[in-house]
Amino acid sequence: MSDMIATQTPRRSLRIHRDDNVCVALVDLAAGTRIEEAGLDITLAEAVGRKHKFTLEALSPGDTVIMYGVTVGRATRPIPSGGVIATGNIEHTTDSARDGTRRRDWQAPDVSAFAGRTFEGYHRADGKVGTANYWLVVPLVFCENRNIEVLRECVREALGDDPHRRYKHMARSLLHGEAMPEAAEEAPALERPFPNVDGVRFLTHSLGCGGTREDARALCQLLAGYICHPNVAGATVLSLGCQNAQAGLLQEALAEHDPEGVRTVEFFEQQALGDEETLLRETLTAIFDGLRRANRNERRPAPLSKLVLGVECGGSDGFSGISANPLVGAVMDRLVALGGSGLLSEFPELCGVEHELRSRCVSDETAERFRELMAAYQRHAGAVGADFSMNPSPGNIRDGLITDAMKSAGAARKGGDSPIVDVLDYTEPVRRPGLSLLCTPGNDVESTTAMAGSGANLMLFTTGLGTPTGNPVAPVLKIASNSELATRMHDAIDFDAGPIVEGRAGIDELADELLTLCLDAASGRYRSCAVRLDQQDFIPWKRGVSL
């Protein structure tokens, strides 16, 4: 953060790092516009769209493009001073092979304003604290997805907890060509029979059979992480009976996550029980019994050290790396300074900044594990004809993220500046306080699914283009990189980082505000947009092949 140039006043462009040879256009700039930046007087050779980059000097083929102080590309043709950076004139390249040197001591941010603060959480017998209290219903194999959906409808009907009743009324009105009465637009809140329970969460997935045994074991490890999650009181598990992901595999994984057996977990096998009605009657009975037990737990004060913050980005734009991502990084640094934990994932989106991350690792062994996991992931991608350089989506490119290295350099800023205390492979749980790296894909939902499985009990999700993504068990707060998005998709965005780009607010000021919102969400005082929209995205990572 100390190397970043502040954006406290409105301006038309921004040079992010003192070593950069490109600038970000903060507004649409016409060809011929004169820009004074870094002591240079630049005349734009062509029009530059908002969020896109232009050069501060002429580049020849082979010259490196520097942004955030790191290499994010290489020129493939001559680019004049004030020329636009685009897919047609640069290609992906990084400094990832460079060794990082051990960095100076970390300067933790001032967190005196949060000293002694607590959040209201659900205390579990294993010492963890939840930011919510759910009962979980999960299938061991995709064959049970239909039964899971039937149970979802039945439980919501019985509890009077249908988050889509307004839209159902809308559909009926539209079907018959009727105007929707204003009185019916917002249905009144119903009395909750289990006031200390935040709901029942039903997972579905496409795995459990037909893949490798490794995929079956990974699925069971992931499900065990969800069942033993601090936001989960207990679980009901449905099995067909003949699948690869046998109940025994899940029970072994549960024993690793919960050696004392404090979580209540009941298994129901359809092939053993016989007819569908018997299966549904017994599982419904178990769900309602579980809700009665879960309802005995009430929120109580907990220290901020019990928070595990997962950070994610999706639908990123050219402003994500200068507003929303560093803002989230500042929140992460504050939480770590307060004794909490964090997870930075999406390994394909760390490509190009590996040397910086290795230099933040607390030990050579930790740095080496990161290097090994990144290399193994790259080899696996190469074996199927893919590469990390293929990561940027059409939407990313359209909004200024031209190469994977450019995207990664901005994405990594979500992890803040604190030391990296651990590196975890997929499904491994958080083991120590502080920031850990978690090996996941760049796919938004596969990554958020994995972070919750590793113990994140709250998530911050940055976006520049907009996304409704949520998670079944961990509240997800969405942070917009620009105010236009925050206004346009107001029902999906929880916090606006746009004032940073506009120079109306600084990162430190907004980081304190966002951390306060996190504590409200962790305490149940604030329901995130994803929770209100019933957005429960769950996609396990399939690392093997189908057989």
Side-chain angles (χ1 to χ4, degrees):
M1 301 294 295
S2 60
D3 288 337
M4 307 308 296
I5 296 175
T7 58
Q8 300 303 306
T9 57
R11 55 189 304 174
R12 297 180 297 171
S13 64
L14 173 67
R15 186 192 193 196
I16 298 173
H17 190 279
R18 60 174 174 255
D19 295 335
D20 292 357
N21 58 7
V22 297
C23 250
V24 183
L26 303 182
V27 296
D28 290 335
L29 299 172
T33 300
R34 290 182 60 189
I35 298 290
E36 293 184 8
E37 193 71 54
L40 301 173
D41 191 345
I42 307 296
T43 299
L44 297 185
E46 53 191 311
V48 185
R50 175 174 174 260
K51 306 181 185 179
H52 285 263
K53 289 80 185 170
F54 60 89
T55 59
L56 292 173
E57 59 189 32
L59 299 180
S60 300
D63 286 349
T64 56
V65 177
I66 308 296
M67 188 174 172
Y68 301 102
V70 300
T71 298
V72 298
R74 177 173 52 226
T76 58
R77 62 182 61 182
I79 309 174
S81 174
V84 176
I85 295 294
T87 54
N89 58 22
I90 74 166
E91 64 184 4
H92 172 84
T93 192
T94 74
D95 284 333
S96 58
R98 192 177 72 186
D99 286 333
T101 55
R102 195 66 61 227
R103 62 160 40 198
R104 62 188 182 276
D105 291 339
W106 175 53
Q107 298 298 310
D110 179 8
V111 291
S112 56
F114 294 90
R117 291 279 296 273
T118 61
F119 71 97
E120 297 294 315
Y122 292 97
H123 294 249
R124 306 299 180 189
D126 57 7
K128 299 176 183 176
V129 179
T131 62
N133 192 25
Y134 293 114
W135 191 265
L136 198 60
V137 185
V138 301
L140 272 171
V141 63
F142 56 82
C143 308
E144 290 299 316
N145 283 349
R146 182 263 182 188
N147 288 329
I148 293 289
E149 294 295 352
V150 172
L151 290 168
R152 187 198 310 266
E153 292 181 23
C154 293
V155 169
R156 284 183 166 175
E157 178 72 22
L159 298 180
D161 180 27
D162 184 356
H164 308 303
R165 58 185 179 272
R166 176 174 177 265
Y167 292 133
K168 291 177 180 177
H169 182 83
M170 179 191 296
R172 286 192 295 270
S173 298
L174 291 171
L175 173 64
H176 298 292
E178 302 168 352
M180 189 171 176
E182 287 191 19
E185 288 187 1
E186 287 295 340
L190 301 177
E191 183 178 351
R192 294 166 58 188
F194 304 105
N196 295 321
V197 180
D198 293 290
V200 185
R201 292 294 187 252
F202 300 84
L203 306 185
T204 58
H205 57 79
S206 62
L207 301 180
C209 204
T212 64
R213 297 302 189 269
E214 179 187 357
D215 275 337
R217 284 189 292 272
L219 173 65
C220 288
Q221 286 288 344
L222 179 68
L223 294 178
Y226 271 70
I227 292 170
C228 299
H229 193 279
N231 293 0
V232 173
T236 305
V237 180
L238 270 65
S239 168
L240 180 60
C242 58
Q243 70 277 350
N244 288 343
Q246 286 286 297
L249 278 180
L250 179 55
Q251 288 165 337
E252 290 174 8
L254 288 169
E256 295 176 22
H257 283 75
D258 179 23
E260 301 300 321
V262 299
R263 284 294 190 285
T264 299
V265 187
E266 293 192 66
F267 290 79
F268 296 90
E269 183 179 305
Q270 185 171 9
Q271 289 173 343
L273 287 171
D275 65 281
E276 177 184 279
E277 184 174 340
T278 300
L279 172 70
L280 295 179
R281 181 188 301 112
E282 294 200 11
T283 52
L284 284 169
T285 300
I287 291 168
F288 293 134
D289 286 345
L291 288 172
R292 294 184 184 96
R293 289 192 296 271
N295 194 52
R296 298 175 193 145
N297 197 347
E298 298 182 0
R299 289 187 183 270
R300 293 186 287 115
L304 303 193
S305 59
K306 294 296 184 179
L307 286 177
V308 181
L309 183 64
V311 293
E312 178 73 19
C313 55
S316 299
D317 70 347
F319 288 165
S320 292
I322 63 178
S323 60
N325 289 348
L327 172 62
V328 166
V331 172
M332 179 70 83
D333 284 345
R334 283 159 170 73
L335 181 60
V336 169
L338 290 162
S341 304
L343 287 169
L344 176 63
S345 58
E346 299 182 286
F347 271 28
E349 297 191 8
L350 301 180
C351 176
V353 292
E354 298 99 318
H355 57 289
E356 291 195 342
L357 295 172
R358 288 197 300 269
S359 74
R360 289 170 56 184
C361 291
V362 296
S363 68
D364 291 340
E365 292 76 15
T366 304
E368 178 60 17
R369 189 166 200 232
F370 176 50
R371 188 198 66 77
E372 290 174 350
L373 285 174
M374 283 289 285
Y377 198 152
Q378 276 276 32
R379 288 194 300 271
H380 185 73
V384 295
D387 190 87
F388 286 173
S389 63
M390 301 165 65
N391 181 273
S393 70
N396 294 150
I397 295 169
R398 184 183 65 242
D399 270 51
L401 298 178
I402 307 303
T403 68
D404 181 60
M406 186 181 292
K407 183 177 180 181
S408 297
R413 300 190 68 201
K414 301 190 306 294
D417 215 29
S418 67
I420 293 167
V421 300
D422 205 357
V423 178
L424 309 172
D425 199 1
Y426 180 62
T427 75
E428 289 184 330
V430 170
R431 294 181 285 224
R432 51 184 63 96
L435 177 64
S436 297
L437 304 181
L438 174 64
C439 183
T440 76
N443 177 295
D444 301 350
V445 177
E446 287 178 337
S447 180
T448 53
T449 295
M451 286 193 292
S454 289
N457 55 10
L458 187 68
M459 289 192 239
L460 295 182
F461 191 122
T462 68
T463 182
L465 305 178
T467 175
T469 303
N471 181 266
V473 301
V476 178
L477 301 178
K478 245 70 65 62
I479 297 90
S481 73
N482 60 90
S483 298
E484 185 274 331
L485 169 65
T487 300
R488 176 165 41 85
M489 293 185 66
H490 61 89
D491 62 338
I493 300 298
D494 298 278
F495 197 89
D496 179 16
I500 296 171
V501 177
E502 299 158 8
R504 294 188 288 110
I507 288 176
D508 285 339
E509 172 191 350
L510 292 188
D512 286 346
E513 291 184 20
L514 182 53
L515 180 54
T516 299
L517 182 64
C518 287
L519 301 187
D520 287 341
S523 301
R525 294 187 294 267
Y526 175 78
R527 295 177 73 235
S528 74
C529 291
V531 171
R532 292 198 296 269
L533 292 175
D534 193 43
Q535 193 77 31
Q536 301 178 30
D537 301 295
F538 178 83
I539 303 179
W541 183 17
K542 188 177 188 300
R543 300 176 88 168
V545 298
S546 294
L547 298 174

